[in-house]
Amino acid sequence: ARHNGAQQGKAERLWTPLFIFIIIMALCSFMVGQGLNSGTSVYLDHLGQGATLAGILAAVFSGSAGVARLACGPVIDNVGRVAVMLAGTAFLFVGTILPVFASGPAVLTVARILQGIGFSAATTASATAASDVLPLSRMGEGIGYYGLAQALAMSVGPALALFLVNTDPAENLFLGLSAMAALSFVFALLCRYEKNPGRLPETASYRQRIEEERAAAKAAEDAKAESAKAAGDAKAEDAKAAAPTA
């Protein structure tokens, strides 16, 4: 009934503050990931490293991101969307800033692992959060805008990275992208909605699920209380029946 009423009235609001924060957070995370993928090989060339190390580091990033993506699903459901977004952007920041302080092959390998884990966690959780906060009647439209942010990052991120890595020093690549990762973390902090689903549109899937769970829990409590009351009344009747009459 609630969904029908929303459809019969004016169109539900799409661009809520929460959805805007999620879009910006995802855009920044995707730009960092795409920028690192494009700029790392150029950075290694500045260091005089060969293509072999660049290929190994690219494989390390892809492998760690793939494994993390498989693990993120259950964690997102059990721990929470925002917690995984915060952890992911934190990993992404640490992995991106690390090469500023040391640039050996071992350090770069660790950095790429952290980057892969962080990128995968942040983007997977943000996609889930986007679907949580969108009104049901505009879900497809909203997911389209989320995908647009990803497409925009695929074009802007590499261009920004190539600009930064060709400045002096080349470590500006990691300074600039780590600043963007920090910005992504800040916007993830603003995406807190799980403890207050009333902020979401009435037909948002997360709000509906939480309200249904709360209604079911209340019904179970009421049934339990009614059962206890009935048992108490039955005991009182039994005690009254067993009492000797004058």
Side-chain angles (χ1 to χ4, degrees):
R2 178 186 300 164
H3 177 47
N4 291 336
Q7 285 185 323
Q8 292 171 3
K10 63 180 181 179
E12 294 180 281
R13 186 180 177 190
L14 175 65
W15 292 103
T16 61
L18 272 173
F19 184 56
I20 293 172
F21 294 153
I22 292 169
I23 287 285
I24 297 175
M25 177 265 169
L27 175 64
C28 292
S29 297
F30 277 116
M31 286 183 64
V32 174
Q34 297 297 331
L36 288 168
N37 286 339
S38 300
T40 299
S41 59
V42 180
Y43 174 74
L44 291 173
D45 186 60
H46 280 287
L47 295 181
Q49 298 287 351
T52 301
L53 180 58
I56 291 173
L57 293 179
V60 166
F61 178 88
S62 298
S64 59
V67 172
R69 199 170 293 276
L70 291 174
C72 277
V75 177
I76 289 170
D77 288 334
N78 295 325
V79 178
R81 286 81 159 127
V82 177
V84 176
M85 289 164 63
L86 290 172
T89 51
F91 269 76
L92 191 58
F93 172 79
V94 173
T96 305
I97 197 69
L98 190 58
V100 173
F101 304 103
S103 56
V107 174
L108 290 173
T109 300
V110 172
R112 289 301 270 167
I113 292 173
L114 294 175
Q115 292 164 13
I117 294 172
F119 174 77
S120 184
T123 54
T124 302
S126 64
T128 307
S131 66
D132 279 347
V133 306
L134 288 169
L136 188 60
S137 63
R138 306 188 71 178
M139 178 71 73
E141 182 183 358
I143 294 299
Y145 283 117
Y146 180 89
L148 180 62
Q150 181 178 354
L152 182 63
M154 291 176 67
S155 59
V156 177
L160 175 63
L162 293 177
F163 167 77
L164 291 172
V165 77
N166 285 302
T167 59
D168 187 25
E171 284 76 13
N172 287 337
L173 167 70
F174 302 108
L175 287 172
L177 293 181
S178 63
M180 189 160 293
L183 185 63
S184 183
F185 181 86
V186 170
F187 276 99
L189 282 172
L190 299 175
C191 295
R192 299 174 182 273
Y193 64 90
E194 291 163 308
K195 292 184 178 180
N196 186 17
R199 296 175 61 191
L200 305 180
E202 288 188 354
T203 61
S205 61
Y206 187 84
R207 176 173 176 173
Q208 288 188 330
R209 180 167 65 84
I210 294 301
E211 288 179 350
E212 288 171 1
E213 289 176 356
R214 289 176 177 174
K218 186 176 185 305
E221 286 183 8
D222 291 344
K224 185 177 179 181
E226 187 65 27
S227 177
K229 182 176 182 300
D233 291 343
K235 283 185 180 181
E237 289 295 331
D238 292 342
K240 184 177 179 181
T245 56

